[in-house]
Amino acid sequence: MCAVVLKVGGSNLKFVNIACINIVVAANAGGAFSPFGDITTLMVWQAGHVSFSEFMPLFVPSVVNYIVPALIMSLFVPKTQPDAVHAHVELKRGAFRIVGLFILTIATAVAFHAVFHFPPVMGMMMGLAYLQFFGFFLRKTLPRSIAKKKAMAIANNDEAALKRLGSIVPFDVFRRVSHAEWDTLLFFYGVVMCVGGLSLLGYLSVVSEIMYTQWDPIWANVMVGILSAIVDNIPVMFAVLTMNPELSMGNWLLVTLTAGVGGSLLSVGSAAGVALMGAAHGKYTFFGHLKWMPVIAVGYAASIFVHLSMNGSLF
């Protein structure tokens, strides 16, 4: 998404900044109502506090969390249009089948967890196995496929197709995995280790006693969302799960919502914001995001209000 914004926006810094903020809000809001949409939601599902189908009441609050800031920010988007670019895009061999394997992977993870009570990671690793077997098939049949396409291109006198055949490389899933943001993953690993150390020393027990015993759980969960903007939502959710407070279904959904969408308040509050600052270096910045924090906070408050209004029976 950031690559698309940079291509469309070019040197229009105001458009790029607003668009990147919108992407961060959309990514965090879209992941709040699905276990596969965000790591924080996945953590709550994997811990067994909320089942897969019980996350659906968060759909409307998540939409509100995105729509409210997006409508306000749309009023400030520059009224300019980029030059149209017409380019031929050809899907690579096996593209549609890989999309099907992705859907099958999600179904496998859900089925394994619901039927066999396996951790969701087992289903996702099975999906990696699907992809590896299919990649092996693509590599073995690549020479035959190239020969067939070359014969068709020569028959049709299509020089462009012949040039494209020269850029075909065998599909290798592990080469794609090697391009993952390992620095970001190691950052989260370090933070989770720190949270585990705080739990071992007893600090989390003290925090849990103050927030979830002396405070109203609703206000405690709202504060969790604000903390997730400062510390990052993944370690904050890990800390809450380590505390393991006694909460109703409505409050578990509330902390899932707030921890997920609360990370949008600051650019460093979620993996999406950290990744975009690296991808749009100098164009999307911490202070550029900070200027729009009041608008994002309006959407944050609106989503909480909608959840409390619509799902009050779950508290």
Side-chain angles (χ1 to χ4, degrees):
M1 290 298 297
C2 184
V4 173
V5 166
L6 293 176
K7 188 71 174 178
V8 172
S11 59
N12 194 330
L13 296 181
K14 185 176 181 181
F15 172 81
V16 172
N17 187 64
I18 293 178
C20 286
I21 295 171
N22 196 256
I23 291 172
V24 173
V25 176
N28 291 328
F33 65 90
S34 168
F36 293 101
D38 192 77
I39 298 178
T40 53
T41 316
L42 177 64
M43 291 165 70
V44 176
W45 177 49
Q46 192 166 349
H49 296 294
V50 184
S51 66
F52 189 88
S53 60
E54 288 173 332
F55 283 105
M56 287 313 296
L58 291 179
F59 176 75
V60 175
S62 299
V63 171
V64 170
N65 179 267
Y66 165 71
I67 288 294
V68 172
L71 288 176
I72 297 174
M73 285 189 286
S74 67
L75 303 176
F76 297 89
V77 174
K79 306 298 181 183
T80 57
Q81 289 184 345
D83 297 329
V85 178
H86 300 284
H88 174 75
V89 178
E90 183 179 356
L91 292 175
K92 294 184 178 180
R93 177 170 167 258
F96 289 111
R97 283 171 286 182
I98 289 179
V99 172
L101 290 177
F102 168 72
I103 297 173
L104 180 61
T105 299
I106 301 297
T108 301
V110 175
F112 274 18
H113 186 72
V115 179
F116 302 111
H117 304 291
F118 289 168
V121 66
M122 296 296 292
M124 300 306 288
M125 294 304 293
M126 179 66 77
L128 186 62
Y130 295 155
L131 203 55
Q132 182 64 3
F133 277 118
F134 185 61
F136 178 78
F137 167 77
L138 289 178
R139 289 193 297 274
K140 282 296 184 182
T141 57
L142 181 63
R144 186 177 61 192
S145 174
I146 290 178
K148 182 179 178 181
K149 289 184 177 180
K150 187 175 182 180
M152 291 177 60
I154 293 174
N156 297 328
N157 197 21
D158 191 347
E159 295 184 4
L162 285 173
K163 290 181 179 179
R164 289 196 296 273
L165 285 174
S167 63
I168 293 178
V169 294
F171 177 79
D172 185 0
V173 62
F174 289 118
R175 189 165 66 89
R176 298 296 178 183
V177 172
S178 69
H179 294 163
E181 289 284 343
W182 292 104
D183 292 342
T184 304
L185 294 175
L186 289 173
F187 162 76
F188 289 127
Y189 173 76
V191 174
V192 169
M193 286 289 289
C194 292
V195 172
L198 292 174
S199 174
L200 181 65
L201 294 173
Y203 288 106
L204 290 188
S205 299
V206 175
V207 174
S208 177
E209 175 69 23
I210 295 173
M211 290 184 63
Y212 288 102
T213 303
Q214 300 181 21
W215 296 6
D216 187 290
I218 293 177
W219 287 109
N221 290 333
V222 172
M223 183 56 66
V224 164
I226 297 173
L227 288 175
S228 70
I230 302 170
V231 182
D232 191 273
N233 51 10
I234 294 174
V236 168
M237 178 56 75
F238 181 74
V240 172
L241 293 174
T242 305
M243 296 174 191
N244 196 23
E246 291 290 334
L247 297 177
S248 63
M249 175 62 67
N251 271 309
W252 275 117
L253 291 176
L254 178 60
V255 73
T256 302
L257 176 69
T258 56
V261 303
S264 303
L265 293 170
L266 296 176
S267 61
V268 295
S270 65
V274 174
L276 281 184
M277 282 195 296
H281 184 68
K283 296 183 178 180
Y284 168 64
T285 62
F286 175 84
F287 290 104
H289 190 110
L290 187 65
K291 290 191 298 184
W292 292 95
M293 187 179 71
V295 174
I296 302 170
V298 172
Y300 178 71
S303 63
I304 295 172
F305 176 78
V306 170
H307 174 59
L308 294 175
S309 301
M310 293 184 60
N311 306 317
S313 60
L314 299 177
F315 287 86

